[in-house]
Amino acid sequence: MLNMFCYQCSQTANGEACTVTGVCGKGPTLSRLQDNLIYILKGISAYYHHARELGYKDEEIAAYLSKALYSTLTNVNFDEEDFLKQALEAGMMNLKVMQLLKKAHIETYGEPTPAEVETGTKEGHAIIVTGHNLKVLEELLKQVEGSDLYVYTHSEMLPAHGYPGLRKYKNLAGNLGGAWHDQRKLFDEIPAAILGTTNCVLIPKPSYTDRMFTTSIARLPGVKHIDGYDYSQVIEKARSLPKLPEKPGKHKLVTGYSSGVVRSLAGKIKQLVEAGKISRFFVVGGCDVPTRKNEYYRRFVEMLPKDTVVITLACGKFRINDLELGDVEGLPRLLDVGQCNDTIVAIEIALMLSELLNTPVDKLPLSIVLTWMEQKAVAIFWTLLALGLKGIYIGPVLPAWLNKDLLEILVSNYAVKLISSPEEDLKQILKV
């Protein structure tokens, strides 16, 4: 049973009316709505932090964050309808902050273009960088430039290879591993120094605690934290470890399909759609979780007809980005647009398709199938809803704050669907 939260005395009453005032009323739903807004604000704050780090600020975003967070304070707002409106407003503010961060990244590192990324190792000492912080990655690359010390990306850092201003560094050697949850196994097996830059870092095993470091916003118990951008300690640790062997990977990963790249293909895309050679677009990605239920996403993509195109993003892409899906007359069927904050690219592609096909965005031959776990994903989800996108499939595990009342709102107002089986869901989607 959900705990009931009293907004008069700030106490939880374990599913019963508050013993102090007895006025909890619709406490559980109101509490979940507040949680929902707070999670959206976490996502906005994360993206705004990265933009500010690169020197890009926006007073409207900053003012909104303080106002919205204040509204969740006990005894300030008891209006459930207002919190639903605020969620949509927050979704649009998240769009604004993603646009700002995209601008910051492109003006700093250039617009991403498709790049093949090695998944093996080069002979030499190694540092693995995980997280979302591109500035940290570049500062490290500057400090190892010209040496025999190689830097590898992991998980959310994979999209860095698409940026011309980052892949120009010859010491950026490739990507190791997959989604965030493989790190305790991967980092244990590879004798490299490790630098965690943002969220999605896991408490390390004792076997590699002494060679792991955090920087920026990230902190881990027992792990050395580095303030600023002097990574000499990380470099020193890497040099003290055995060199990695020259070992080619089993496959290469392709990333870097920016809005500009896809827009340059607009004419071809329109031609293929009008000729019936592309029947549908799918956005398949999101935040991954290490359960068998998430095998759904790989099986779903493997079953897609060959006249469909898949846009993927965030760490959920590691479920599918090694698949050989081929192309439709030269247009790749799998387009990796980046990490979670690069959802703005998928949104811009949807808006471009709407313009190209002269079709409202909610009527496009476009289906969104998201794996949903991590808190920042909530911000992106409400951005999609605020833009009018409906019929989004989500799963396999719903967030803990989503109670029955909220789920009913999402289903009735936005046609949100819970995933079932790849076979059944695909059958329903293709029937539309």
Side-chain angles (χ1 to χ4, degrees):
M1 179 183 292
L2 285 171
N3 286 339
M4 299 184 74
F5 185 81
C6 175
Y7 288 86
Q8 295 293 326
C9 67
S10 305
Q11 292 186 16
T12 299
N14 298 319
E16 299 177 358
C18 171
T19 56
V20 177
T21 66
V23 296
C24 289
K26 294 184 179 180
T29 297
L30 193 58
S31 180
R32 299 293 80 80
L33 285 165
Q34 285 196 327
D35 290 342
N36 176 62
L37 182 58
I38 289 170
Y39 289 141
I40 301 172
L41 298 178
K42 288 182 179 184
I44 295 172
S45 298
Y47 304 143
Y48 191 47
H49 174 83
H50 292 313
R52 283 175 54 85
E53 200 168 22
L54 293 171
Y56 289 74
K57 302 177 183 179
D58 188 304
E59 180 55 35
E60 182 185 0
I61 295 170
Y64 173 78
L65 285 168
S66 62
K67 181 197 78 169
L69 188 58
Y70 183 29
S71 75
T72 68
L73 192 65
T74 303
N75 294 345
V76 170
N77 190 342
F78 295 81
D79 190 336
E80 293 179 7
E81 286 298 322
D82 183 67
F83 274 112
L84 286 171
K85 292 177 182 177
Q86 284 202 63
L88 294 169
E89 181 185 2
M92 293 307 294
M93 190 57 65
N94 186 59
L95 177 67
K96 184 178 180 67
V97 79
M98 287 193 296
Q99 289 170 334
L100 180 67
L101 182 56
K102 177 191 170 189
K103 179 181 179 182
H105 281 159
I106 288 177
E107 292 185 357
T108 305
Y109 307 115
E111 181 154 17
T113 55
E116 285 192 339
V117 184
E118 298 287 347
T119 57
T121 58
K122 297 175 72 72
E123 183 178 358
H125 300 291
I127 297 173
I128 301 173
V129 182
T130 188
H132 308 76
N133 195 314
L134 298 184
K135 180 172 176 60
V136 168
L137 178 64
E138 184 183 30
E139 294 302 323
L140 176 63
L141 287 168
K142 289 177 182 176
Q143 293 169 44
V144 302
E145 192 170 14
S147 71
D148 65 345
L149 201 159
Y150 294 103
V151 175
Y152 299 86
T153 57
H154 170 257
S155 194
E156 297 93 340
M157 196 60 74
L158 169 65
H161 295 269
Y163 289 92
L166 293 173
R167 67 170 180 249
K168 71 180 182 181
Y169 293 98
K170 298 187 183 303
N171 294 74
L172 183 61
N175 185 83
L176 299 179
W180 61 274
H181 51 75
D182 74 3
Q183 58 190 266
R184 285 170 62 84
K185 181 176 185 295
L186 179 75
F187 297 168
D188 182 48
E189 294 175 346
I190 299 178
I194 305 146
L195 185 59
T197 69
T198 56
N199 57 306
C200 298
V201 287
L202 294 176
I203 295 175
K205 290 183 178 181
S207 57
Y208 65 84
T209 299
D210 69 327
R211 52 186 175 86
M212 185 163 190
F213 301 81
T214 59
T215 190
S216 185
I217 202 75
R219 301 286 194 285
L220 288 171
V223 170
K224 174 70 176 178
H225 181 78
I226 298 173
D227 288 316
Y229 303 102
D230 179 359
Y231 299 119
S232 54
Q233 294 179 73
V234 184
I235 294 169
E236 182 182 355
K237 173 57 70 173
R239 292 198 176 283
S240 72
L241 299 168
K243 290 184 177 182
L244 300 188
E246 187 79 24
K247 186 179 179 181
K250 294 180 180 179
H251 57 269
K252 294 181 181 181
L253 302 176
V254 178
T255 189
Y257 282 93
S258 64
S259 302
V261 169
V262 177
R263 186 165 285 280
S264 72
L265 300 169
K268 185 176 186 66
I269 291 171
K270 183 177 182 180
Q271 178 186 1
L272 291 172
V273 171
E274 291 179 344
K277 295 179 178 179
I278 293 179
S279 65
R280 197 162 195 84
F281 297 85
F282 288 84
V283 176
V284 183
C287 299
D288 200 12
V289 58
T291 68
R292 285 192 174 183
K293 291 181 179 180
N294 278 47
E295 293 173 1
Y296 168 101
Y297 299 93
R298 187 178 184 89
R299 290 195 293 121
F300 181 88
V301 171
E302 287 176 330
M303 292 170 53
L304 291 177
K306 295 187 183 301
D307 63 352
T308 59
V309 173
V310 180
I311 299 163
T312 190
L313 70 159
C315 58
K317 68 171 162 274
F318 287 102
R319 292 278 175 177
I320 61 176
N321 65 349
D322 64 326
L323 293 174
E324 295 289 341
L325 298 185
D327 63 88
V328 181
E329 294 195 2
L331 179 74
R333 288 190 57 224
L334 183 62
L335 307 175
D336 173 25
V337 302
Q339 56 196 51
C340 58
N341 54 269
D342 294 314
T343 303
I344 182 63
V345 177
I347 290 170
E348 289 174 349
I349 291 173
L351 296 176
M352 180 198 75
L353 290 174
S354 177
E355 179 185 331
L356 270 181
L357 305 178
N358 194 27
T359 304
V361 69
D362 61 328
K363 303 296 184 184
L364 286 170
L366 171 70
S367 297
I368 302 174
V369 183
L370 300 178
T371 165
W372 188 8
M373 175 192 170
E374 203 266 339
Q375 293 171 4
K376 290 189 300 183
V378 181
I380 294 167
F381 179 69
W382 281 94
T383 298
L384 298 177
L385 297 184
L387 289 169
L389 289 160
K390 295 185 177 182
I392 298 172
Y393 283 75
I394 59 172
V397 179
L398 297 180
W401 55 263
L402 189 64
N403 70 357
K404 182 180 178 181
D405 290 342
L406 286 188
L407 183 57
E408 287 179 357
I409 291 170
L410 294 177
V411 171
S412 62
N413 291 4
Y414 305 103
V416 169
K417 304 178 188 302
L418 306 185
I419 66 168
S420 55
S421 69
E423 294 81 5
E424 183 60 30
D425 291 343
L426 187 57
K427 178 181 176 181
Q428 292 301 317
I429 290 170
L430 297 180
K431 188 187 295 184
V432 177

